[in-house]
Amino acid sequence: MMHERPDGSLVEVDVSIPSQARRVVLLENGLGTPHEYWDWVCGALPADVGYVRFNRPGYGLSTPDTKYGLEPHFELLQELRDTYAGGLPLVLAGHSLGGYLVAAYASLHPDATKGVTHVVMIDATEVVSLRHSRRTDVDRWSHQSMLMEQAFAATGLSVFRPAMNVNKQYRPEINRSYTAFLATPRTWATSYREYRDAMTYPELADLDCPLTVVTAENNAGDNARHHGIQARLAVISDRARHHFVDGSDHESLLAVQQHAEEVTELIVGEPPSERLGESWQPSTKSRQDAEGVAEREREPR
């Protein structure tokens, strides 16, 4: 489905708002990923929850944008929200760079939190750490990798060795669509532009609505450092939780059905109502299940 903007440009969207919907989830993709990345999450949503997912300008069939910075993106989020959410309570959820973008919208855009019941940042980008990586080996490798993937896409080689979704754990039609997305040179040109833009984005300091930070257990780099960076994201709200998904990595949080369903439970579940506090410990589903068993064992029989 194509959404036409006031300036005539198009945005590729996938919208499902059931007649009985009581709220809507607006889903924001990560760097270099299509809206199909949310397929398992959308399939696990309850019948009374609608969703809006989309490809940012330059990705998929969406018209490339010539505007830089956060404000044009905030305008797009507001436009999609006004057009499709119909005034229903809204959950903002984003993965990777998308996690930062939805939180930045809620934090920085005027009146954005009105009607927003919950923000969910899923293994989100922390822009200060990203900025500090500038001109390091990590930055040089990221730059080189995106240039290589653009060249592979232009020559058709990426069809045989996709950079992401390598285990193809989505439904077959989603896997095919995802591979075609990665085989488009514009995908990687847009990714590189977003990567550089993100280094100029401001640190988020205050979010006036409930926040859940979801973190992958396993990271490609230093796990302890990654977990610490993720923990810092949760302090921007005084109603927050930090949840680890056992056995997951950055991609499998959404690409593996079991992990995606756990993420969905956090998206549609009761938002946190208290700050993390000094005795904070990140939650996991396995810990919650164990606590539930222990509680049942203490009940009188």
Side-chain angles (χ1 to χ4, degrees):
M1 174 178 174
M2 302 303 295
H3 168 80
E4 184 172 359
R5 306 197 66 191
D7 63 1
S9 63
L10 301 175
V11 174
E12 186 178 5
V13 297
D14 181 22
V15 179
S16 175
I17 312 291
S19 58
Q20 71 271 36
R22 296 189 298 169
R23 52 185 160 161
V24 175
V25 183
L26 180 57
L27 300 162
E28 177 94 44
N29 314 331
L31 183 80
T33 56
H35 68 69
E36 288 93 341
Y37 204 52
W38 295 99
D39 190 62
W40 291 131
V41 169
C42 292
L45 290 172
D48 61 351
V49 178
Y51 68 81
V52 178
R53 64 190 195 190
F54 65 101
N55 284 332
R56 288 191 294 276
Y59 287 127
L61 300 178
S62 296
T63 306
D65 200 347
T66 57
K67 300 176 183 177
Y68 289 81
L70 288 174
E71 283 304 323
H73 187 65
F74 293 165
E75 292 173 7
L76 173 58
L77 288 177
Q78 189 67 43
E79 185 181 318
L80 293 175
R81 176 183 180 179
D82 292 343
T83 302
Y84 300 107
L88 290 168
L90 190 70
V91 178
L92 298 169
H95 174 257
S96 196
L97 180 60
Y100 171 86
L101 290 172
V102 294
Y105 164 71
S107 177
L108 302 174
H109 193 60
D111 298 323
T113 56
K114 185 178 180 180
V116 172
T117 62
H118 194 187
V119 173
V120 184
M121 302 175 75
I122 304 164
D123 225 39
T125 300
E126 202 276 321
V127 294
V128 174
S129 300
L130 182 64
R131 193 153 51 242
H132 288 166
S133 73
R134 186 76 185 267
R135 297 189 178 90
T136 65
D137 288 343
V138 171
D139 180 40
R140 284 188 284 270
W141 173 244
S142 297
H143 180 197
Q144 182 178 352
S145 296
M146 282 183 269
L147 288 177
M148 290 170 58
E149 292 301 335
Q150 189 172 358
F152 290 150
T155 57
L157 294 176
S158 60
V159 173
F160 303 103
R161 45 152 310 283
M164 294 183 285
N165 194 33
V166 292
N167 295 319
K168 298 186 181 300
Q169 298 196 61
Y170 289 104
R171 295 178 291 121
E173 60 268 32
I174 300 299
N175 289 328
R176 289 192 293 271
S177 178
Y178 203 162
T179 298
F181 176 88
L182 296 173
T184 304
R186 194 176 75 180
T187 293
W188 298 102
T190 302
S191 297
Y192 182 67
R193 172 182 161 173
E194 287 194 329
Y195 173 73
R196 285 300 183 211
D197 281 355
M199 289 188 173
T200 70
Y201 293 163
E203 180 180 9
L204 302 180
D206 185 38
L207 179 64
D208 188 24
C209 63
L211 169 66
T212 293
V213 173
V214 183
T215 300
E217 180 187 17
N218 301 311
N219 186 55
D222 184 332
N223 259 342
R225 182 173 180 274
H226 178 67
H227 295 169
I229 289 171
Q230 291 283 297
R232 291 204 302 269
L233 294 174
V235 302
I236 66 174
S237 172
D238 60 7
R239 290 164 288 169
R241 75 162 63 93
H242 186 189
H243 183 90
F244 276 59
V245 177
D246 288 338
S248 67
D249 58 37
H250 186 70
E251 183 174 331
S252 75
L253 276 168
L254 300 184
V256 172
Q257 185 174 8
Q258 176 185 350
H259 297 333
E261 289 174 350
E262 185 172 337
V263 171
T264 307
E265 291 176 12
L266 295 165
I267 291 173
V268 301
E270 194 68 26
S273 58
E274 299 177 351
R275 65 173 64 249
L276 291 178
E278 296 180 0
S279 60
W280 161 81
Q281 290 290 331
S283 64
T284 64
K285 191 173 190 301
S286 60
R287 182 181 295 122
Q288 292 167 354
D289 291 345
E291 289 173 351
V293 170
E295 184 65 29
R296 289 194 294 273
E297 288 177 346
R298 286 196 295 269
E299 293 176 356
R301 300 182 185 280

